[in-house]
Amino acid sequence: MPRVAAIIPCHNGEAFIHTAINSVLAQAERDLEIVVADDGSRDASAAIIESFGPPVRLIRVANGNTQATRNAAIAACDSEFIGLLDQDDAWRPGKLERQLACFAADPRLGLCYTDTRGVDAQGRELAERHNPLQVPSDHTDALGRLLRVNMMAASTVLVRRCALEQIGVFDPAYHLAGDWDLWLRLVEAFPVAAIPEVLIDYCWHGANLSHGRIALLQESIAVQEAALARIARHPRWSADPGLARYLPAAGKKLAARCSELGLLLAREGRRRDALSWHTRALALRPWTPRAWSRWVRALVPRKPGPAPIGTEQSSTHERH
């Protein structure tokens, strides 16, 4: 059984997959395997993957869903630790070595993540894509921060298999926000550690900006609401005064997401849906003038014209 398995979901990733795999093979840790789950690629991805040979292993799936593809790769290996890597990202030298040292120092840890640097498709650094890493001071602080935003990029995460066996794997119902959902469920049960070093090249390019902001907001709201409901029922966290201090900020962020979703739906002319989301935002924070303004504007039919709906990377990773 390899100590570490790097799992890489792949779909038409021929432009990037070679770099991603090589970044794992360049790690100092040698007791590892790389499981690449190819989800119906129509390009040369599978041939590139197979050209490596052991310890790289190709499995073929037909999910059309990143979270289900990740789950298939996890099920195909039996390593003690599982490292996540997206096909267009790359691990930097020393990543596994530093993360495994964190796990060795604290056997309670369920997950360890790192800082990233944004790069373009040619590997050139994009300084404007970097925001300071959120480094929690303790378990309560980690969960409190995570209840507000997803502060972990998936490609930075190394997780203990036994933690996943306890809390479950990715929920494929969340196509875009499945990573945030998993981090929340895991951090409810296990402490985590952050390494404030840039150990990931996080690639920004046109192909990974194809998912609409509306769909991402809808899933993010569902994930956050489910997490807050679990916390309210949790025997430990529901009575934790330390965590309670984070809940107002989480509620404020949830209201902001509902309000933004209403705004985008109004721009598409979906006034009834927009009013519903603005009403939810107002129920959470009835004293917010901007939410009232958006609610009123949603009552007025929008003039014909292009709707400048923004897009966002498919990951829900948020660093603000």
Side-chain angles (χ1 to χ4, degrees):
M1 175 179 78
R3 187 182 188 199
V4 179
I7 65 162
I8 308 175
C10 180
H11 176 71
N12 292 338
E14 65 179 3
F16 305 100
I17 194 65
H18 193 276
T19 298
I21 292 172
N22 273 333
S23 76
V24 180
L25 293 173
Q27 299 295 308
E29 175 64 40
R30 308 314 303 166
D31 188 10
L32 59 77
E33 70 170 335
I34 302 169
V35 180
V36 187
D38 184 76
D39 189 356
S41 292
R42 297 183 179 181
D43 61 6
S45 294
I48 294 170
I49 297 161
E50 290 182 316
S51 72
F52 280 92
V56 181
R57 184 154 53 97
L58 170 69
I59 64 172
R60 298 177 186 269
V61 297
N63 294 318
N65 180 305
T66 300
Q67 315 310 340
T69 300
R70 285 172 172 159
N71 289 342
I74 291 170
C77 61
D78 58 359
S79 58
E80 180 183 1
F81 296 97
I82 295 166
L84 305 179
L85 180 58
D86 288 342
Q87 66 181 19
D88 45 6
D89 296 337
W91 290 356
R92 294 178 64 81
K95 175 188 182 289
L96 281 183
E97 181 181 6
R98 287 164 173 77
Q99 289 185 299
L100 290 170
C102 276
F103 281 108
D106 188 348
R108 302 171 304 153
L109 290 182
L111 178 152
C112 179
Y113 65 104
T114 79
D115 202 355
T116 70
R117 71 166 190 162
V119 299
D120 64 16
Q122 288 71 48
R124 296 177 298 231
E125 185 170 1
L126 302 171
E128 68 274 14
R129 291 294 189 180
H130 183 266
N131 293 287
L133 182 71
Q134 294 195 36
V135 180
S137 58
D138 56 29
H139 193 176
T140 300
D141 186 42
L143 181 55
R145 290 170 182 258
L146 199 58
L147 282 169
R148 181 178 176 273
V149 295
N150 181 6
M151 60 191 183
M152 306 175 193
S155 292
T156 74
V157 168
L158 186 69
V159 62
R160 288 190 200 270
R161 175 178 294 278
C162 62
L164 294 180
E165 289 172 347
Q166 178 172 324
I167 61 97
V169 290
F170 292 96
D171 185 343
Y174 298 121
H175 289 242
L176 306 179
D179 52 351
W180 189 22
D181 170 68
L182 179 59
W183 314 155
L184 281 161
R185 288 187 282 116
L186 194 145
V187 177
E188 288 167 27
F190 296 92
V192 300
I195 298 177
E197 296 181 53
V198 173
L199 296 173
I200 296 294
D201 282 346
Y202 190 85
C203 188
W204 295 81
H205 55 88
N208 65 9
L209 297 172
S210 59
H211 291 294
R213 179 70 176 167
I214 287 176
L216 179 55
L217 280 168
Q218 288 173 327
E219 287 198 9
S220 297
I221 290 166
V223 165
Q224 191 179 15
E225 287 181 331
L228 290 169
R230 288 195 306 271
I231 292 300
R233 301 189 301 267
H234 197 284
R236 171 188 172 183
W237 295 118
S238 62
D240 189 314
L243 185 65
R245 292 195 293 268
Y246 293 86
L247 298 182
K252 181 179 179 181
K253 187 65 175 179
L254 177 60
R257 287 190 173 98
C258 292
S259 180
E260 183 185 355
L261 179 54
L263 177 66
L264 297 180
L265 290 169
R267 287 177 178 175
E268 286 200 337
R270 297 166 58 182
R271 286 191 295 147
R272 180 174 296 181
D273 292 337
L275 284 168
S276 175
W277 285 106
H278 286 314
T279 300
R280 291 179 68 175
L282 288 167
L284 290 164
R285 289 181 61 82
W287 54 87
T288 307
R290 175 181 290 182
W292 280 107
S293 174
R294 288 177 173 178
W295 184 85
V296 170
R297 292 204 304 271
L299 293 172
V300 181
R302 192 173 187 274
K303 294 180 180 179
I309 304 300
T311 59
E312 180 169 293
Q313 185 158 356
S314 58
S315 170
T316 58
H317 173 223
E318 297 177 81
R319 305 284 294 283
H320 304 283

